[in-house]
Amino acid sequence: MTVLAVSGLAKSFGGVHALREVSFSVMAGELLAMIGPNGAGKSTCFNVVNGQVRPDSGSVRLGAADVIGKLPRDMWRLGVGRTFQITATFASMTVRENVQIALLSYHRRLASWWPRAANLYRREADALLARVGMESQAGRPCSVLAYGDLKRVELAVALANDPRLLLMDEPTAGMAPPERIALMALTAEIVRERGIAALFTEHDMDVVFAHADRIIVLDRGRLIAEGTPAQVRANDQVRQVYLGSRH
Ligand code: ADP
Ligand code: MG
């Protein structure tokens, strides 16, 4: 089942063609990696899909719905999760409270009567925290967490709206290599068990080749290759513009 279908996306900033005729789709339960050198247009593509940037042309479909013109908040309501934004957690609140706030927001309950709401969605929050291995730290403030643990809380927060599409722009940025692999392994497990369509960017090729079901390659706004990790690894053009420039 196709969850996200992007077709003919184009976006220019002044004279810079950040995206030119980009088309791809993501299926339920699939982990699709988008790779490419700096400036290739990856973040712009994420921002278009998420509703932050309006494309000059092209279409974005979520399930059967055309979602061009929807705002990020609408997209979140429609089941698009976005992980690992630095502002996604409230540092002084506990791990559990952060997840409860996200659940409250999704269920359209007012958070203004916090702290009387402290028991609302507590069970659901704890279940999400258990899934990401953070149940033992549920009562700690986010401000004291190790960076890798904070990333796992942000993953739990992103799961609070029960997303059908998860967007992850460089989710492992700033993490040490073993932690990167562990976070992506956890994300991949959750995505597959829940049938979530996941689109991610990542600089670490070990992470990409270990976890992506499929890879698309952008270069200067153009989609230049698409395939399984083995196909992309063997693609001459990809080696030239991307892998060749890094290794
Ligand atoms: P990537 O995430 O692959 O590194 P980006 O999507 O961030 O690439 O950028 C693609 C191109 O578009 C770059 O040349 C970048 O400078 C330009 N760009 C991105 N966002 C903006 C913006 N808001 N204003 C002007 N130029 C932008
Ligand atoms: Mg980027």
Side-chain angles (χ1 to χ4, degrees), residues 165-182:
L165 174 67
L166 199 51
L167 302 174
M168 299 175 285
D169 193 359
E170 303 194 27
T172 69
M175 299 177 84
E179 280 192 313
R180 291 175 174 229
I181 299 274

Side-chain angles (χ1 to χ4, degrees), residues 145-209:
L145 295 183
Y147 190 62
D149 289 342
L150 190 58
K151 296 282 196 178
R152 287 192 285 156
V153 176
E154 289 177 355
L155 178 57
V157 166
L159 294 171
N161 69 334
D162 199 13
R164 45 185 166 150
L165 174 67
L166 199 51
L167 302 174
M168 299 175 285
D169 193 359
E170 303 194 27
T172 69
M175 299 177 84
E179 280 192 313
R180 291 175 174 229
I181 299 274
L183 182 71
M184 277 316 295
L186 174 66
T187 305
E189 267 177 38
I190 292 174
V191 158
R192 288 181 185 128
E193 79 193 15
R194 298 184 180 212
I196 298 171
L199 176 65
F200 75 106
T201 67
E202 171 63 54
H203 280 304
D204 185 331
M205 286 301 112
D206 291 338
V207 173
V208 169
F209 287 114

Side-chain angles (χ1 to χ4, degrees), residues 82-91 98 147 150-151 154 173:
R82 190 162 192 173
T83 55
F84 314 123
Q85 287 160 308
I86 292 149
T87 53
T89 59
F90 299 99
N98 267 281
Y147 190 62
L150 190 58
K151 296 282 196 178
E154 289 177 355

Side-chain angles (χ1 to χ4, degrees), residues 32-96:
L32 179 67
M34 178 185 283
I35 66 171
N38 275 335
K42 304 181 297 295
S43 292
T44 302
C45 190
F46 272 72
N47 291 338
V48 167
V49 171
N50 191 49
Q52 253 164 290
V53 167
R54 202 181 172 110
D56 300 331
S57 57
S59 72
V60 177
R61 300 186 81 82
L62 187 68
D66 182 350
V67 292
I68 292 284
K70 299 273 187 206
L71 299 173
R73 187 164 180 85
D74 306 322
M75 295 303 285
W76 191 72
R77 290 253 168 249
L78 290 170
V80 178
R82 190 162 192 173
T83 55
F84 314 123
Q85 287 160 308
I86 292 149
T87 53
T89 59
F90 299 99
S92 66
M93 298 179 79
T94 68
V95 166
R96 178 185 291 118

Side-chain angles (χ1 to χ4, degrees), residues 2 4-11 18-27 30 32-35 40-42 44-46 48-49 55 57-61 68 199 214-227:
T2 300
L4 174 70
V6 161
S7 180
L9 274 196
K11 177 70 191 177
L19 295 173
R20 322 184 206 209
E21 295 298 315
V22 170
S23 304
F24 64 89
S25 57
V26 196
M27 314 277 286
E30 181 182 45
L32 179 67
M34 178 185 283
I35 66 171
K42 304 181 297 295
T44 302
C45 190
F46 272 72
V48 167
V49 171
S57 57
S59 72
V60 177
R61 300 186 81 82
I68 292 284
L199 176 65
R214 229 160 26 96
I215 301 174
I216 56 180
V217 187
L218 283 186
D219 180 42
R220 284 169 289 173
R222 251 185 244 291
L223 204 152
I224 60 159
E226 169 168 14

